[in-house]
Each structure stands twice: as C-alpha cells, then as structure tokens.
Amino acid sequence: MIDLRSDTVTRPTTAMRQAMANADVGDDVYGEDPSVRALEERSAELLGKEAAIFVPSGTMANQIALMLHCRPGDEVIVGRGAHLYYYEGGAGGAFAGVQFVEVGTTGLFTAADATLAIKPEAYWLPRTRAISVENTHNRAGGRVFPSADIDALADLAVSHGFAVHMDGARIWNASAKLGLPAAEVARRADTVSACFSKGLGAPVGSALAGSRAHIAHARRLRRMLGGAMRQAGILAAGALYALDHHRERLVDDHRNARRLAEVLANSPGIQLDLASVETNLVIFDLVDAVGDDYVARAREQGVLVSAIGPRRIRAVTHLGVEPAEIEEAARVLASNGRSTKR
C-alpha cells in the first residue's frame, strides 16, 4: 500500500530504532532522564525559547498552552478549521474551559479579521485572551502562515494584553518552505508546540516551548493531564534522532507533494489550486464523485488517502513514500476522479 493518509503513518528507521534502544534513561518525573532533558534543551534552542517540555502529543501541548494563557470562560481566536477547534475532541472546552471563535476563510487570517472578533470588556461577555495561529495549517492544505500576518497579529495581541500561541505541529515544514530557522518562524509567539511524529518520523511526542515561567507551570499542567512519563528517554531519543537527521529532507516531501498536485490538477473530475500546495499536503475536490467512494476505489488499487469532506480529499507525503510511489499514486488518484455512477 502507498499510504498518503497522513505524515503520522511513518515507522522509525533502523538507525532511529538503534538510537532508541541505546538511549540513556532515568525517571523523568524526578527530572532525571538525560535523554528527555537533552531533547527539551534542543527543542528550546531550535524554537528560540527559554525552555521546552516534552509531552506525549501535540493535542496535549496545545491544551497546556490554552491553560497557561486563559481561564475558564475565556475566548481564543483561531483560523477556520484550526486543529485546536476541529481535531482535539472538544478538549479546549472540556479541560481548558475556553471557547473558540473562527476567523478568516481559509484557515489563515489577518489582524483585521482578528480585530473584528475581539469582544469588548463586559462582564456578560466572554473575555478574548489569546490568538492561536496554526503553522502550517492542516485543513488549509499545509499552507504556511505569512510572517507579516503573524507580526501584525502579535502587535494586536500586545496592544490588548493577549497571548499568542503557535500550533506548530508542522513548524518544521514551514521552516523548510521558508528557508528560515524554526526560531524565526515562532519568533512572535509566546508559546509554540512542535510535533516530532509529523514529518520527522519519530514514533511519539511533541514539545511545548516558551518562557521559563510558562514551562515551569506547564510541568504541573502536564501532570494534571496525565502526561508525566517515567523512562521517556526511549521516546525522546527517537525525537532527537529525527531533529538531527530528518529536518533537511522535508524539502523532498514538498517536492513529492508538488509532483502529485501537478498531475491531479490536470486530471478530469478533480479541482485543485496548485498555488495552495506549499508543503507536504495536497487537498483537492471531486467534481461529481463521492469522497468515501473515491477513497474506497483508491484503496482497492493500493493507495490510501483520506476524505475530509463529502467531496474533499487529502493526501500527505512523508518519509515513507518514494518518488516512484508518488507517480503510481498520482496515476491511481487521477484515474478515479470521475464518478462511477451511470
């Protein structure tokens, strides 16, 4: 099978498995796991923050950030279809006690969009207390959030006393696309999450980075959420290996995604805007075929993709897919664009 459902389906490479097997470990709840400490220090350095904490998932990293910046009843401004709102099982309301207001039309948004969503200070209204940007934005097709818009949003947040959180699950892809260090991409964010299992191919884990004070509080919140781990260095070693060996190759995934998109954009029954394909996600619409039927037909021919709407399909390139497999996947996906109904 050629699996293009997500960049989370990768498996650890042989070298990564070896690094994990040889990891120096200790009890991280006591702060005694040297591999976890090394990963946290490396993550903070790469993301340009004072400190970082290793957590089991990007969802937990994001929820901790919400709990750091908000109180129950507060409101958070996000882009349309943001992972925080759409893919985290309602955790923002259940754990952080916040509600979200979606702005913009594509997942990306501007300071002007956010300004319209800010609630005035009144005891009968929710308090706007944070702005979250997703970079790259999943449901927007892996789009990179423009740096100028992030700067303007950060200026807006400062003027109102809000926090800025960057959901950087795929910040490494944004960094590769822009040709900038991840620290520069996250420069204006008070906190930033970064995933090791998306794109980089590690089996588990994310980091949340921010000020020393924020991360000290985050350790308590991680414990409350059940994310404190013991000999987690076995997992941290995989993430460290990924940071050192798999970031530079992300441009290969972007190249493969572009090639797939070019074929699909010229295929009958498929609508795809090539300008929307910036990193490793390819999202396209079916003219008359049904999404679930299309996915089933592709599976029968050895290609796995995801339906993210009635006629909308997502394909994701990653470490486990070679150029020759992209060519085969493109052939299968292009040939299935027309409806099979008579």
Side-chain angles (χ1 to χ4, degrees), residues 230-281:
R230 298 296 179 176
Q231 286 72 34
I234 294 171
L235 302 176
L240 275 168
Y241 184 91
L243 285 175
D244 290 339
H245 296 90
H246 291 171
R247 283 185 298 134
E248 290 186 1
R249 61 151 307 281
L250 289 171
V251 294
D252 298 337
D253 296 341
H254 299 177
R255 189 178 303 113
N256 285 338
R258 185 71 183 184
R259 172 57 185 160
L260 178 64
E262 287 171 347
V263 174
L264 296 178
N266 292 292
S267 301
I270 289 175
Q271 293 179 334
L272 191 156
D273 178 9
L274 277 175
S276 70
V277 182
E278 297 181 351
T279 54
N280 68 320
L281 275 70

Side-chain angles (χ1 to χ4, degrees), residues 142-168:
R143 299 289 295 273
V144 177
F145 216 105
S147 298
D149 286 337
I150 294 175
D151 285 341
L153 286 164
D155 289 341
L156 176 68
V158 169
S159 70
H160 285 271
F162 302 159
V164 175
H165 172 62
M166 180 175 288
D167 177 357

